[in-house]
Amino acid sequence: MSHSEAEIRKHVRVYITVFIALAVLTIATVLASYFHLPLKQAITLALFIASIKATLVAAYFMHLISENKVIHSILLLTGFFFLLLLLLPAMR
Amino acid sequence: MSSDHSHDLPFWKKYIFSTDHKVVGIQYTVTGLLFLFFGFCLMMLMRWQLAFPSQPLPWLGQFFHEKTMVSGIMLPEFYNQLGAMHGTIMIFLGVVPLAVGGFGNYLVPLQVGAPDMAFPKLNMMSYWVYFIGGVIMFCSFFLPDGSAQSGWTSYPPLSVIANQGQTFWLIGMVFLITSSLLGSINIIVTIVHLRAEGLTFFRFPFFIWSQLVTSFLLVLAFPPLEAAGILQLMDRVAGTSFFMPSGLVVSGQVLQASGGGNPLLWQHLFWFLAHPEVYVLILPAMGIVAEIMACNTRKPIYGYKMLVYSAIFLGFMSFLVWAHHMFLTGMSTKMSSFFQITTMIISIPSVIILTALVLSLWGGSIRFTTPMLFAIAFLPMFGIGGLTGLPLGLTAADLHLHDTYYVIGHFHYVVAPGTIFALFAGVYHWFPKVTGRKMSEFWGKVHFWLSFIFINGIFMPMFSMGLAGVSRRLYDPTQYAHGLAVQPLNVVISYSAWLLALAQIPFILNFFISIFAGKKATDNPWEATTLEWATPTPPGHGNFLTEPKVYRGPYEYSVPGAQHDFSPQHLEGIN
Amino acid sequence: MRAMNNNYYGFGLPIDISTHGAAIDRLIIILHIFMVALFIGWGIFMIYSLIKFRARPGHKATYHLNHFKAPTYLELFVALFEAVLLVGFSFPIVNQFVNAKPDESTALKVRVVAEQFAWNVHYAGKDGIFGASKPELMKPGNPLGLDRSQEAAKDDIVAINQLHIPVHKPVIVELSSKDVIHSFFLPVMRVKQDTVPGQKIPVWFEATQTGNFEIACAQLCGLGHYRMRGFFTVDTQEDFDTWLDQMAPKPEV
Amino acid sequence: MSDIAIKHISKPHPVTGVTNGKLGIWLFIASEIMLFGGLFSAYILLRTGSPSWPHGSSVLNVPLATLNTMLLITSSVTMVMAWASLALKNVGKFKFYLGLTILLACGFLIVKSFEYGTKFEHHHFPSTSTFYAVYFTLTGLHVLHVIGGIIVNAYYLFPGSKMWETNPEQFLCRIENAGLYWHFVDLVWIFLFPTLYLI
């Protein structure tokens, strides 16, 4: 990726925004845990927030949002097998 | 490997810590062959005990430590060590390093027209990490209690309560896995990025495709085993209970552990790797066979695209069948039905590949060279291996055949006369490119025919033993009446194994003598079309004299209107 | 010891004395006929091609070949045949094996607890209730860790490496393990099931013939794996009852 | 052996649009995803199979872990800023941000060692229960990854930065790839934190 200077400066602003979002979400998920929601809701909420944070990191810090198809395909394939691996405890 | 570019490098940098993919490939090949032979020796020792249970091993017995053999009579501990290490060494230190590390490293850059691998230093590192893993595995034999003895599958809780050798096994595996990961990442990037101009994906030799799929399998399937290995290491070293359920009583003592673990977790993670691993073992072999068959039938491979799609599908499906190794662990019929179906589905692309390769003979002009003989023999041998997988993939038949010699016969037909024959074919085929000299055809044929006869003598009787219900990993099968009934077969198998060892002597001599005294080979002695034959023999540092360009598919043999019966990929206009 | 009736065992499948085994044997035989037929067909084609298309002066390879139709049909046939094997044979057999538990009131219930390297067979005794096994009580003299002071455990019968069952009666064996994974294998019964520590897995079968047979361990369980052999005896109901009486714990004074 | 030219080290491949290193590091991350996938899968299986499981916040120190999360997130943003500064050819700023990344990572390790220390003081070891086994194994492996990241970043901060003089393009690629790895380490923590501490 060749980046022009202006582009990178724009990137930097995005990084700061993402950073603030990550911090807010971290505080939100910690606060939510103090409410002692029922286990199912607590797990869903915690994983939901974690997924948003992960998406932000992957999309902006790791530049996945503007990444090439080949990387996306590798991750798609990996994601499929990753889910399969997570399903493994259900296999009895 | 002499070349103007590297003459100024010191010896150790040129031949030992070399980053040249050809040197690394040769290092892998030689180490792999040595480990293959070592693993074979372990098996020959086991064969004595199986053929003549509890009789002293003549002459050789005196050289063994008293913890392994008492006055030449093998102890069950030692038998279990031999069994576990035979499997581990053959798969992780012999066949995979040879197929992916050796052939992959040497041939992939040549066949895609690259000067080296994408990450040469990483390449060197992956060899040395493999080497360390091998040394750890080998050294574990000299531990006070010997090496790992819980089978190559290392099922807990047995492996967790086993001796120190198991810890070495796990650490060794972490090294081997790391090495494989680095190596396969390197191969993928090399194939995708460093291919020569004009070499589109559908102009790849099938060998390249097989390496690409194999590398993806390694990258995605090995880490779960690494995870499992780490967990087992924690169980053994830090006293955790990942695989240890509560309330275990071992030899009259309640086991001091927190409990709460699940032994089946290991099996799931292990087979999540180990089934794709089967295709890691077989795909490169198929690649080698396809190369050699196209060259020696002097015609294109039949159904090349079908072959490629089948290999990709095979790789994908191999992740979805792992639990067919676990039919008897008490799984529900829903689960077992699912895995039976996927197992039957995965047999289809295997059949397609085999059929395409057999059909490739049709219409050819077949040269019966030594590599071709090995490649042809691969077909029926792999066929037997594949077909006998069918009863094991159906839970109903597996009820009787699970963990018997039938299983041993089945996967050895796939790996030994299957993959290892293909690897031999590869050694004979590419030897002239690597050394500049040909191996003797006569002794090659002697090697082939003797190996072919004796290897069937080893594995064919195992099906009968398996049907009779003889379990695997038995130190003395004659303890059982049903084992005693088939004991004569064990004697036949053992003699076949020892004779097979003798049959390797022509190969070993041929290999070493030909390096120095073989017939000089030209750059393209087999008149083949793929890019590796466009290099000088042996290829120098940087491989190609000029950057190659590719004009056609990989197997353009006997093109109508061409002057020669082969049209190399790098030549413009038909040859 | 080893001089068991060797007519039971040979170079192929051992005799089958179970009610469910015939279906398994049939499947195995059909499979092998199919495999041999396919292999011979392939082999003949291959050898014919090898001879017909050998390199010789004046013979040239053909670049363009017509597309073969036969392999596609063969492929379809193989796929179809596999589907038949699955739906027609394997699924029903496995379903029977895993789900069709016999009526517990009429069946004989036995517990088998595997350990390195023996099979501990546990009968409930007259009261039909199994005493609880406690890991902390498991000692060489009391391999199952039974608390004999407990009412349910008083008449329990423990036999080591001896599994006796009556003929023509459904038997439910509940398998478990004290230490590592073993595999409970009755070759003549076509029964094989892993015993997984921490789990209780039931298997069931019915014998059609009396005789002395074997229990084998099919999963590597340590250095004594090879000698983890048990005796499996199918008796008439009367003989079985007599044996149980003999094995019953004698009241201690 | 730099006499042979391997293509696409710093110029992206025309078809895939990425460099060798980037494709390589993403494949490595793919394998790491599968590694942690195996561990998470083990965690789920053990937790669902267990009759009781402690609530993370009742046994673990959530404020410390929150602080650690903040440290790691901040180090991620400084890492990406280091890359951006280098792309703007501002080497001084690059070194500042990369150094900050390393310091934050060290801070993470220090906090972690306090956390481990108090656990050991209370005689909570991996062998105590399956919960602690999972906790120590997963966080321990993550710590190893953090240490690996520190070593790589320290190399690029000191001896490795010489490459900026000889081959700035390749050096920028290397920093980007090191960053990708570092963000992945952060990403793993983003999942470890709630699954171990909060639920």
Side-chain angles (χ1 to χ4, degrees), chain A residues 25 44-57, chain D residues 190-191 194:
Chain A
L25 285 170
T44 317
L45 183 69
L47 287 184
F48 179 67
I49 294 179
S51 307
I52 296 178
K53 284 165 71 180
T55 313
L56 287 175
V57 171
Chain D
I190 285 177
F191 280 104

Side-chain angles (χ1 to χ4, degrees), chain B residues 83-162:
Chain B
M85 295 309 281
H86 167 75
T88 309
I89 286 172
M90 284 304 203
I91 293 172
F92 296 109
L93 287 162
V95 174
V96 174
L98 204 55
V100 183
F103 284 96
N105 255 314
Y106 196 93
L107 291 173
V108 164
L110 290 177
Q111 285 199 335
V112 300
D116 205 319
M117 294 289 264
F119 311 110
K121 279 187 196 139
L122 195 72
N123 201 21
M124 174 185 85
M125 212 171 101
S126 69
Y127 171 75
W128 286 105
V129 172
Y130 154 70
F131 187 82
I132 295 168
V135 168
I136 292 173
M137 288 285 185
F138 183 77
C139 285
S140 68
F141 276 107
F142 301 103
L143 289 170
D145 292 326
S147 67
Q149 43 184 280
S150 310
W152 79 280
T153 49
S154 289
Y155 279 5
L158 180 63
S159 55
V160 175
I161 59 175

Side-chain angles (χ1 to χ4, degrees), chain B residues 328 340 402 406 464 481 556, chain C residues 11 32 63 90 192-193 214:
Chain B
L328 301 189
Q340 286 182 74
H402 190 86
Y406 199 91
S464 164
E556 295 296 283
Chain C
F11 289 99
H32 281 82
Y63 178 78
S90 194
K192 190 181 285 173
Q193 174 61 53
E214 291 179 305

Side-chain angles (χ1 to χ4, degrees), chain A residues 6-28:
Chain A
E7 252 181 277
I8 289 170
R9 292 196 193 285
K10 214 192 283 166
H11 277 310
V12 171
R13 278 196 296 278
V14 175
Y15 299 149
I16 306 293
T17 324
V18 169
F19 171 62
I20 294 165
L22 288 174
V24 170
L25 285 170
T26 305
I27 293 163

